[in-house]
Amino acid sequence: MILPSDFEPLWAAPESAGQDGLWFVFHRSNLLVYTEHATPMLPLPADVLSGGLEIDHAGARFVGMLRDTPVWAARSASDRAPDGHGFENMRGLFNRLPDDLLAIGGRAVQMLEFDRTHRFCGACGTPSEIFEGGRSRKCPSCGETYYPKVSPAMMVLIKRDGPNGRELLLARSGRFARGMYSALAGFVEPSESIEECIHREAFEEVGVRVHNLAYFSSQGWPFPNSLMVAYVADYESGEIIPQEGEIEDARWFTLDDLPGLPHRLSIARRLISHVIREVDPDHPALRV
Ligand SMILES: [Zn+2]
């Protein structure tokens, strides 16, 4: 999910920004949307925001400016929604809510989650306070400062060119939708570089060695708070051995025989498309 270019992420509201604007209202991590039409919609009308909802205004967060419109995030204490509206899981809104709004909603929910999970200092237990204009929270007693958590993770698409043309090493975990395979991914460990993580995870997850790492792109992913950094790598050696408990299946796929692939908004799909495009710019998997 990529923030739109006409959105400016900010922590503190400019003085000119009123409380009117685009509100992302969440109950837990479900977003309130207008559901009367087949396509869920935002913004919420003013009368919806003022009536019938149990919005925690004291805990509202400023998210940024979308062109001239202030963007706010807040929680509702209950999942009761006015007629024609409903709280929907963010993942279920993929392909239904416009991509730009989904990306801003991803920032909004992470800011609310930061506040929810850092109300007290982890070192001494004192209630924390918003600091640096909202960018962090600080303990007034011991001075410990907390920032929103971002967890770096790597993704690597391993490729090789054989007698049958290009082959991609794709794997699936038991948590994936049926029939879907993707590139390998894993969280970076303390003091590890992204490249070291790629070598370690490729060997742990599927038992292969790789080389020629090439950076592709990165993307924030608000489920819950990762920063995915994606690479392409060439296969070097080893037979595929799926890691028990982690990888349900892993295989080499030729471009003529690809399995189900991840959602088009995910960096995984863009990475896979990039490597397919190198050898076949007209491949049907690119038409999504
Ligand atoms: Zn403290």
Side-chain angles (χ1 to χ4, degrees), residues 35-164:
T35 53
E36 219 48 345
H37 299 299
T39 318
M41 292 206 308
L42 286 172
L44 302 169
D47 62 322
V48 166
L49 289 165
S50 59
L53 287 169
E54 296 172 51
I55 293 182
D56 169 20
H57 280 280
R61 268 281 193 170
F62 182 71
V63 182
M65 295 292 290
L66 179 61
R67 294 179 297 275
D68 298 327
T69 305
V71 181
W72 297 89
R75 287 192 186 280
S76 168
S78 88
D79 62 356
R80 265 184 291 116
D83 284 350
H85 296 75
F87 285 93
E88 294 208 15
N89 184 288
M90 288 273 283
R91 284 174 188 258
L93 289 169
F94 275 21
N95 270 347
R96 298 169 61 221
L97 196 68
D99 297 353
D100 286 359
L101 290 175
L102 210 51
I104 298 170
R107 174 177 165 88
V109 71
Q110 285 184 90
M111 292 171 78
L112 295 176
E113 276 301 286
F114 171 53
D115 287 334
R116 187 182 73 87
T117 55
H118 291 79
R119 289 182 299 147
F120 298 93
C121 173
C124 76
T126 305
S128 68
E129 294 170 353
I130 287 189
F131 190 57
E132 289 185 287
R135 192 179 293 270
S136 64
R137 297 183 71 97
K138 188 172 176 139
C139 173
S141 175
C142 75
E144 191 73 37
T145 307
Y146 298 91
Y147 291 89
K149 184 164 130 188
V150 177
S151 304
M154 73 79 202
M155 173 168 286
V156 62
L157 179 56
I158 303 170
K159 65 179 170 69
R160 68 179 182 189
D161 291 317
N164 302 317

Side-chain angles (χ1 to χ4, degrees), residues 158 169 199 202-203 206-210 235 237-241 252:
I158 303 170
L169 200 170
H199 288 293
F203 191 69
V206 292
V208 307
R209 301 287 184 191
V210 297
Y235 167 78
S237 63
E239 292 297 316
I240 294 176
I241 305 168
W252 289 106

Side-chain angles (χ1 to χ4, degrees), residues 162-226:
N164 302 317
R166 177 147 294 185
E167 294 180 323
L168 311 180
L169 200 170
L170 300 172
R172 59 170 279 112
S173 104
R175 301 186 300 272
F176 287 7
R178 242 174 86 184
M180 193 191 91
Y181 285 70
S182 187
L184 303 180
F187 284 103
V188 176
E189 295 187 350
S191 288
E192 192 176 50
S193 70
I194 301 272
E195 290 79 5
E196 285 166 336
C197 178
I198 289 173
H199 288 293
R200 176 179 57 77
E201 290 275 5
F203 191 69
E204 280 177 10
E205 290 195 340
V206 292
V208 307
R209 301 287 184 191
V210 297
H211 65 158
N212 294 339
L213 306 190
Y215 172 75
F216 168 64
S217 181
S218 69
Q219 182 172 302
W221 193 246
F223 306 110
N225 47 35
S226 49

